[in-house]
Amino acid sequence: MIPPKPPVRPEKVSLLTYLRLFRQDILSAQPAKLYRAWMAEFRTPFFRSYMINQPSLVKTVLNARPRDFPKSDRIGAGLRPLLGNSVFLTNGATWERQRRIIDPAFEGGRLRDTFPAMWAAGQAATARMGDGVQEVEELTSFAAADVIFRTLFSIPIEDRIAQAVFSEFRDYQRTQPILNLAAFVKGPKWMPRLFSKRTKETAHSIRVLITELTEARMAQIKDGTAPDDLATKIMTTADPDTGETFTTEEMVDQVAIFFLAGHETSASALAWTLYLLAMFPDWQDKLAAEAKALDAGCDFKVMSKLRLSRDVFREALRLYPPVPMMVRESKCPENFRDRAIKPGAQVVISPWHLHRHTRLWDNPDGFDPTRWATENGKQCMRDAFIPFSSGPRVCTGAGFAMVEGPLLLSMLVRNFRFETTERTPVPVAHLTVRSKDGIWLKISKRTDDA
Ligand code: HEM
């Protein structure tokens, strides 16, 4: 049984057809050969992009010479009204300063401090879950948003502002649904890049809400009454080089990206993992048995016992990497696989294709959580597994997500059974990898003690 994979397009199509397919969905617009190519060139009259799948070249771009391949300005095109100058979009000295202030909040020790808030969010998600056929992306979105608000600001999703931010974000995505299209399509100048009035209004109202939260926290920090959570940690951390802390405005930019990057991605990963577990009930039972370790109560140490859950979550991140592609811009003339790449060219790194590369992985499209213990799995984990990217721009929340994912998953399967329905999800790339018409599962209370 092979988990759902998007259809591929025919090898040869006209430029117009390609652009049309691309607009619909980046994944199904690609030909099958990208799953076995080391490098591919997209040549159109308007832009030239190179997708690289060769592990050594991916390492050159992400790890060895990241300064020569900064994020392209265009990546942020759809997100800038919302994210302003957030760490996700900046480059150079501004980005370095932002990471110096943010990174300490996500270090190992802090994750331990954050654990009770994640646990509480998991318990709330379990309490909310009912029986019957349900769309699980909706449920995991709500749960992941709850995790972010509890860990960042010590408030649950039921809070007035948290609720409002959550629902405004949904509107934003409806008005601005395709994240990366503009990043791939370099020029021409007349390409419409204007945001609709509605997009700008929604972005503004989200930022007003986040500003309210951030200002209230600034006041609590001054009074000495602030809770010890991620927001307080970030807002009180001084840049070791300059001694400065974030201004309210800078913090609002960062909160917006934590919310967006932290909840959309985890929600996508959790929903796909639940689908995979429904497809493979033997694995679901194994996870449910392992999850009995949770009965001992909230203790960070339990994470070392949830190994199967971690392996399954990792396998889901391989098959359905929430961020399917990343785009960089080459700053210098390069030569990759005997092809001259001019400065300004777009370099596309595709976790989606790398994670299913037929020349790298054993059983690339199959679901096999035991692969991580095999030679091939270990090798590929080092060379061809980048769900959180790699190098200095690696996801700030990678460690956080690898606690959140397996924990919530274990809590859910400890209490519920998930079964497939006749609706098979089709993966498409929205802001993250989602299912075209949602992920529908039959959910029932787990009555046995297996
Ligand atoms: C399964 C969950 C997650 C996945 C798969 C994921 C994936 C990624 C990827 C691939 C990038 C790099 C994007 C690029 O370079 O174009 C990224 C960046 C980022 N992520 Fe995550 N992420 C996840 C969860 C989180 C969480 C929970 C947070 C915060 C609470 C977070 C915060 C960020 C931030 C701030 C960046 C920008 C880092 C920079 O550019 O320096 N992410 N994430």
Side-chain angles (χ1 to χ4, degrees):
M1 249 194 327
I2 294 294
K5 188 176 176 183
V8 288
R9 71 153 165 88
E11 285 301 297
K12 289 210 180 322
V13 290
S14 71
L15 174 63
L16 259 177
T17 308
Y18 181 53
L19 290 179
R20 185 176 53 76
L21 289 170
F22 202 98
R23 242 172 216 287
Q24 280 164 8
D25 168 41
I26 309 177
L27 300 180
S28 54
Q30 311 304 339
K33 66 178 176 204
L34 289 192
Y35 290 104
R36 52 177 193 274
W38 293 128
M39 180 165 163
E41 184 172 348
F42 304 106
R43 215 188 284 210
T44 76
F46 318 127
F47 68 99
R48 206 164 271 200
S49 296
Y50 301 86
M51 179 183 283
I52 50 174
N53 269 338
Q54 180 176 310
S56 61
L57 291 179
V58 173
K59 285 191 174 145
T60 300
V61 172
L62 295 181
N63 304 81
R65 292 173 40 214
R67 281 167 197 247
D68 295 340
F69 300 94
K71 278 202 173 181
S72 143
D73 271 355
R74 287 160 205 278
I75 299 177
L79 294 170
R80 203 165 292 277
L82 179 64
L83 301 181
N85 229 0
S86 98
V87 65
F88 192 78
L89 302 178
T90 51
N91 278 312
T94 309
W95 170 79
E96 280 170 23
R97 169 174 183 272
Q98 291 171 339
R99 290 284 302 229
R100 283 197 298 271
I101 298 179
I102 292 167
D103 283 358
F106 288 90
E107 276 163 11
R110 293 300 299 189
L111 273 182
R112 192 179 292 265
D113 298 346
T114 304
F115 189 74
M118 280 187 192
W119 178 278
Q123 281 187 317
T126 312
R128 270 193 309 268
M129 188 143 301
D131 284 2
V133 173
Q134 296 185 51
E135 202 287 290
V136 294
E137 284 184 337
E138 182 96 18
L139 306 179
T140 56
S141 260
F142 203 75
D146 194 26
V147 170
I148 288 293
F149 280 112
R150 285 178 193 260
T151 52
L152 204 56
F153 279 110
S154 304
I155 53 176
I157 184 81
E158 285 79 16
D159 172 272
R160 172 186 63 88
I161 299 184
Q163 277 279 347
V165 172
F166 182 66
S167 68
E168 293 276 347
F169 257 98
R170 311 203 115 196
D171 282 359
Y172 187 82
Q173 280 200 53
R174 267 180 223 124
T175 61
Q176 188 63 42
I178 304 169
L179 169 64
N180 265 338
L181 184 64
F184 284 82
V185 184
K186 189 171 163 60
K189 290 272 185 298
W190 46 262
M191 278 283 293
R193 264 179 230 295
L194 299 172
F195 304 110
S196 73
K197 195 161 156 266
R198 180 88 192 100
T199 303
K200 282 195 199 146
E201 281 168 4
T202 318
H204 179 70
S205 59
I206 295 171
R207 291 183 63 91
V208 167
L209 290 163
I210 296 179
T211 306
E212 199 180 321
L213 277 179
T214 309
E215 279 173 348
R217 178 52 59 87
M218 279 284 188
Q220 284 177 314
I221 292 172
K222 282 204 184 100
D223 292 353
T225 56
D228 181 24
D229 51 22
L230 288 176
T232 299
K233 174 77 180 156
I234 294 168
M235 288 165 76
T236 54
T237 299
D239 176 355
D241 288 10
T242 63
E244 290 166 6
T245 49
F246 278 147
T247 61
T248 303
E249 169 114 34
E250 280 175 307
M251 185 63 189
V252 170
D253 292 347
Q254 313 314 329
V255 172
I257 186 59
F258 291 149
F259 184 74
L260 184 69
H263 107 278
E264 266 288 310
T265 46
S266 291
S268 153
L270 276 167
W272 283 108
T273 319
L274 288 174
Y275 185 78
L276 289 167
L277 287 176
M279 260 188 102
F280 299 92
D282 49 333
W283 274 99
Q284 192 174 160
D285 287 343
K286 280 189 218 175
L287 255 61
E290 177 185 77
K292 284 183 186 166
L294 297 168
D295 298 354
C298 176
D299 181 353
F300 187 66
K301 286 201 205 84
V302 77
M303 291 314 299
S304 63
K305 303 207 172 106
L306 305 179
R307 284 169 198 273
L308 294 178
S309 187
R310 185 202 55 199
D311 287 350
V312 165
F313 190 65
R314 211 172 251 164
E315 183 68 342
L317 288 175
R318 183 184 73 81
L319 285 168
Y320 302 102
V323 179
M325 293 183 201
M326 297 178 271
V327 188
R328 300 291 190 263
E329 192 169 304
S330 81
K331 282 279 157 220
C332 325
E334 301 288 342
N335 192 303
F336 282 177
R337 293 188 69 81
D338 285 335
R339 262 185 260 209
I341 297 177
K342 291 195 183 137
Q346 310 275 295
V347 176
V348 180
I349 294 176
S350 171
W352 182 274
H353 291 93
L354 193 63
H355 289 183
R356 292 171 180 259
H357 203 280
T358 55
R359 295 205 250 172
L360 295 169
W361 296 86
D362 289 345
N363 187 13
D365 292 331
F367 172 75
D368 179 10
T370 66
R371 75 169 69 244
W372 306 111
T374 66
E375 265 320 300
N376 176 261
K378 286 182 193 160
Q379 181 74 32
C380 284
M381 168 105 83
R382 287 192 291 273
D383 291 344
F385 183 65
I386 50 166
F388 298 107
S389 185
S390 183
R393 280 212 94 127
V394 67
C395 170
T396 335
F400 180 104
M402 286 309 296
V403 175
E404 175 193 14
L407 176 67
L408 261 65
L409 206 56
S410 296
M411 287 175 125
L412 291 175
V413 296
R414 173 78 184 100
N415 293 286
F416 294 92
R417 190 179 288 285
F418 298 87
E419 291 166 80
T420 53
T421 64
E422 69 289 349
R423 303 170 76 151
T424 305
V426 179
V428 287
H430 286 293
L431 204 51
T432 51
V433 171
R434 288 303 174 107
S435 160
K436 195 157 163 244
D437 300 305
I439 297 182
W440 293 85
L441 293 178
K442 180 168 170 247
I443 304 175
S444 49
K445 190 113 189 78
R446 195 174 262 277
T447 47
D448 60 68
D449 213 21

